């Protein structure tokens, strides 16, 4: 069932329930009002006749059976009757009343309450205790047929009004649901028209700021992310195809040239060394690509533990200076250090070590003297900040926004060996650890990178 039909049906059921309760309440209250007026009329009639009859004397004689016609009132309708009984259950007065004695319970109820409602002669009536001028007690009964013509007419009107109202509600509900869902239908049509070949299309934003507008804005933001992801994927596939093709082509070309004719052992050795170097570069690139993929795919399974940031930097410093003795890394801690907690961060040791290694290695690689200054800034109640500064050629402003894209290599990087993946891997790792990265670079003076840990 479509939302439009479901909303219309729910609207009809809700209104029908409310209408039924309202009309039922009106009918019941009107019936109660008629009953109150009916019994008030019987009470007035019984009181009036009792006063007229009992004023004739202190004692009334019992009416013999069959003498009811003597006191028959020709002006009273046949569905109206009045009777008076003494306390010995004898009928002493009658108007259209049958030869029917009162039940013992009626005497008891009138004795306790003064009056009660009864069924007399098959008609609803009222029994009241009264007394003659001499003080002798009697019970007067008045009964009449309850006229239901007005109630029946009211019921017919209410039923007709109910079905007429439901029909109007169904029509109005359907039109209302269709009008309310028109923006949703427009969104569905616009989203359906978007194709992977052109992800730049966006939904038209309405002027008002309601839930539909929020939904459209959410869709547009999602399309922005999807477009960026598709563009990155296309760029990534294009770049990786180019980057993998180049070293493979170089390796194949060198091997073909080496096998073209017989050469000296030294020539073969040089060829093998060149092939080995290219193979190491290819293996390094492949490993970094796998690390990037692992960082994204295993995000929820990466284990985070408390780590001392100073020890992590010292491990990276020791590893780089051992593998590349010409590197010079100066590390120090700046700020008031009062407790060990100021040095602790929460993260994955292997990934953070890899990210710091790439950043410090890049700084040493591009600095003419291969020197990098690493400073850990700490303070009471402050986030630890790691500052990595070099005195390299700097990054041009045009290249700065793109340095973390995979395979992007600026003018300065093109002169140095590398795959263009390291900084992209660093960006992925830091995002996983919610580390804020800030890069400041001046051409000809160097680059400064600050990592603010949560």
């Amino acid at each position: 069932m479509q939302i439009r039909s479901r909303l219309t049906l729910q609207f009809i059921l809700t209104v029908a329930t409310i209408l039924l309760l309202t009309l039922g309440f009106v009918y019941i209250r009107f019936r109660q009002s008629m009953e109150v007026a009916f019994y008030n009329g019987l009470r007035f009639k019984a009181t009036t006749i009792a006063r007229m009859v009992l004023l004739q004397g202190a004692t009334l004689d019992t009416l013999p059976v069959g003498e009811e016609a003597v006191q028959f009132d020709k002006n009273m309708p046949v569905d109206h009757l009045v009777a008076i009984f003494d306390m010995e259950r004898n009928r002493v007065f009658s108007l259209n009343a049958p030869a029917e004695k009162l039940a013992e319970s009626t005497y008891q109820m009138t004795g306790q309450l003064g009056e009660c409602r009864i069924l007399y002669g098959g008609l609803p009536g009222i029994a009241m205790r009264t007394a003659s001028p001499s003080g002798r007690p009697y019970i007067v009964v008045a009964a009449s047929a309850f006229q239901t013509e007005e109630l029946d007419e009211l019921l017919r009107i209410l039923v007709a009004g109910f079905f007429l109202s439901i029909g109007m509600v169904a029509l109005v509900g359907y039109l209302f649901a269709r009008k309310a869902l028109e923006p949703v239908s427009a969104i569905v049509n616009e989203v359906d028209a978007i194709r992977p070949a052109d992800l730049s299309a966006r939904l038209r934003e309405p002027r008002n700021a309601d839930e539909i507008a929020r939904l459209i804005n959410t869709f547009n933001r999602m399309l922005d992310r999807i477009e960026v992801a598709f563009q990155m994927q296309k760029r990534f596939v294009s770049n990786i195809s180019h980057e993998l093709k180049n070293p493979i082509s170089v390796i194949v070309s060198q091997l073909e040239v080496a096998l073209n004719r017989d050469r000296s052992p030294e020539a073969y050795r040089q060829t093998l060394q060149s092939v080995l170097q290219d193979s190491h570069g290819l293996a390094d690139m492949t490993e970094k690509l796998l690390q990037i993929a692992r960082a994204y795919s295993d995000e929820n399974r990466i284990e985070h533990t408390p780590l001392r940031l100073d020890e992590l930097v010292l491990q990276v410093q020791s590893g780089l200076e051992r593998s590349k003795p010409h590197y010079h890394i100066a590390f120090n801690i700046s700020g008031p250090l009062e407790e060990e907690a100021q040095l602790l961060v929460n993260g994955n040791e292997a990934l953070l070590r890899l990210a710091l290694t790439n950043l410090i290695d890049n700084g040493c690689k591009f600095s003419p003297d291969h020197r990098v200054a690493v400073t850990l800034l700490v303070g009471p109640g402050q986030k630890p900040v790691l500052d990595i500064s070099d005195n390299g050629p700097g990054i041009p402003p045009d290249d700065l926004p793109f340095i973390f894209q995979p395979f992007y290599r600026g003018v300065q990087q093109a002169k140095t060996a590398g795959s263009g993946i390291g900084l992209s891997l660093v960006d992925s790792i830091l995002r996983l650890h919610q580390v804020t990265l800030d890069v400041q670079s001046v051409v000809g003076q160097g680059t400064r990178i600050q990592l603010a840990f949560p």
Side-chain angles (χ1 to χ4, degrees):
M1 182 182 294
Q2 293 185 350
I3 296 180
R4 180 187 305 170
S5 302
R6 187 163 62 247
L7 286 177
T8 304
L9 181 59
Q10 291 175 350
F11 187 63
I12 292 174
L13 292 177
T14 302
V15 174
T17 302
I18 296 175
L19 198 58
L20 274 177
L21 294 176
T22 304
L23 297 181
F25 176 77
V26 170
Y27 179 80
I28 292 173
R29 290 296 298 167
F30 186 77
R31 182 182 179 88
Q32 290 175 346
S33 299
M34 288 190 64
E35 288 180 352
V36 171
F38 172 75
Y39 283 106
N40 285 339
L42 290 179
R43 186 179 298 107
F44 176 77
K45 184 181 299 182
T47 302
T48 302
I49 293 179
R51 287 177 179 175
M52 294 173 58
V53 172
L54 295 178
L55 283 175
Q56 297 176 4
T59 303
L60 294 177
D61 296 330
T62 301
L63 288 177
V65 178
E67 292 189 10
E68 290 79 12
V70 176
Q71 300 189 46
F72 183 85
D73 188 355
K74 295 182 180 180
N75 296 323
M76 182 174 289
V78 295
D79 55 354
H80 288 67
L81 57 91
V82 179
I84 300 177
F85 295 84
D86 59 17
M87 302 312 294
E88 287 75 27
R89 300 179 66 185
N90 297 317
R91 187 176 51 153
V92 297
F93 179 82
S94 172
L95 284 178
N96 297 333
E100 179 181 334
K101 292 188 176 183
L102 291 180
E104 182 65 28
S105 59
T106 304
Y107 282 87
Q108 295 176 357
M109 292 292 293
T110 55
Q112 296 174 0
L113 304 177
E115 69 174 57
C116 64
R117 294 180 182 182
I118 63 172
L119 194 65
Y120 185 69
L123 298 176
I126 187 172
M128 299 173 52
R129 184 177 288 267
T130 186
S132 65
S134 62
R136 185 177 181 181
Y138 291 92
I139 294 178
V140 58
V141 176
S144 179
F146 185 70
Q147 303 297 325
T148 60
E149 290 81 1
E150 294 182 3
L151 275 178
D152 295 339
E153 180 65 20
L154 176 63
L155 183 61
R156 286 191 292 270
I157 293 174
L158 293 179
V159 171
F162 172 77
F163 286 106
L164 180 62
S165 300
I166 291 301
M168 296 177 62
V169 166
L171 177 61
V172 173
Y174 178 80
L175 296 177
F176 177 78
R178 186 176 67 177
K179 183 67 175 178
L181 292 175
E182 280 181 357
V184 178
S185 300
I187 292 175
V188 172
N189 295 332
E190 290 184 28
V191 172
D192 189 59
I194 297 176
R195 293 291 181 265
D198 182 18
L199 292 176
S200 61
R202 295 294 181 268
L203 304 182
R204 290 175 297 177
E205 297 185 2
R207 298 178 181 178
N208 51 355
D210 55 7
E211 288 77 3
I212 298 297
R214 292 178 56 191
L215 177 63
I216 291 177
N217 291 331
T218 303
F219 264 117
N220 286 337
R221 288 195 298 270
M222 182 187 66
L223 290 173
D224 290 339
R225 294 192 295 269
I226 292 176
E227 183 181 13
V228 171
F230 267 73
Q231 290 176 351
M232 290 183 63
Q233 182 185 26
K234 289 180 180 179
R235 191 181 301 115
F236 184 83
V237 173
S238 176
N239 290 333
I240 194 174
S241 300
H242 175 74
E243 295 293 334
L244 290 178
K245 182 179 180 180
N246 285 343
I248 293 176
S249 300
V250 171
I251 292 173
V252 171
S253 299
Q254 291 183 91
L255 293 176
E256 288 178 346
V257 171
L259 295 174
N260 188 33
R261 59 182 178 83
D262 292 337
R263 300 180 182 275
S264 63
E266 183 62 25
Y268 283 121
R269 185 178 295 107
Q270 292 178 356
T271 300
L272 291 177
Q273 287 179 348
S274 178
V275 170
L276 180 61
Q277 183 179 0
D278 293 335
S279 299
H280 281 313
L282 185 60
D284 180 67
M285 182 190 306
T286 305
E287 177 62 24
K288 288 182 178 179
L289 289 174
L290 291 176
Q291 289 172 346
I292 291 178
R294 191 180 302 116
Y296 279 112
S297 62
D298 299 341
E299 178 178 352
N300 296 327
R301 291 182 290 176
I302 294 176
E303 182 180 359
H304 289 241
T305 57
L307 304 170
R308 282 193 52 154
L309 195 53
D310 58 333
E311 294 180 354
L312 196 61
V313 175
L314 290 173
Q315 293 176 13
V316 173
Q317 178 187 21
S318 175
L320 284 174
E321 290 181 345
R322 185 172 56 252
S323 61
K324 300 177 181 179
H326 58 288
Y327 281 6
H328 301 283
I329 304 169
F331 174 62
N332 64 88
I333 300 177
S334 175
L337 183 60
E338 299 178 355
E339 55 183 3
E340 182 184 6
Q342 296 176 233
L343 302 172
L344 291 179
V345 295
N346 194 45
N348 183 274
E349 182 178 0
L351 290 178
L352 286 178
R353 187 190 302 115
L354 178 62
L356 295 180
T357 301
N358 274 279
L359 290 175
I360 298 175
D361 180 58
N362 276 353
C364 293
K365 183 192 303 182
F366 291 102
S367 296
D369 55 359
H370 304 294
R371 290 182 179 274
V372 165
V374 181
T375 305
L376 179 56
L377 307 174
V378 296
Q382 297 180 0
K383 299 178 180 179
V385 176
L386 195 63
D387 185 289
I388 303 173
S389 301
D390 63 49
N391 55 356
I395 304 173
D398 294 338
D399 293 338
L400 201 57
F402 308 104
I403 60 175
F404 295 105
Q405 292 185 5
F407 300 106
Y408 182 84
R409 292 174 62 79
V411 178
Q412 301 293 342
Q413 291 84 355
K415 302 175 183 178
T416 307
S419 60
I421 304 177
L423 288 181
S424 176
L425 178 59
V426 169
D427 184 59
S428 302
I429 294 174
L430 296 182
R431 286 178 183 273
L432 293 178
H433 289 80
Q434 299 180 357
V435 176
T436 303
L437 178 67
D438 179 53
V439 181
Q440 300 174 5
S441 185
V442 179
V443 176
Q445 297 182 16
T447 302
R448 182 181 183 182
I449 298 176
Q450 285 191 333
L451 311 179
F453 289 81

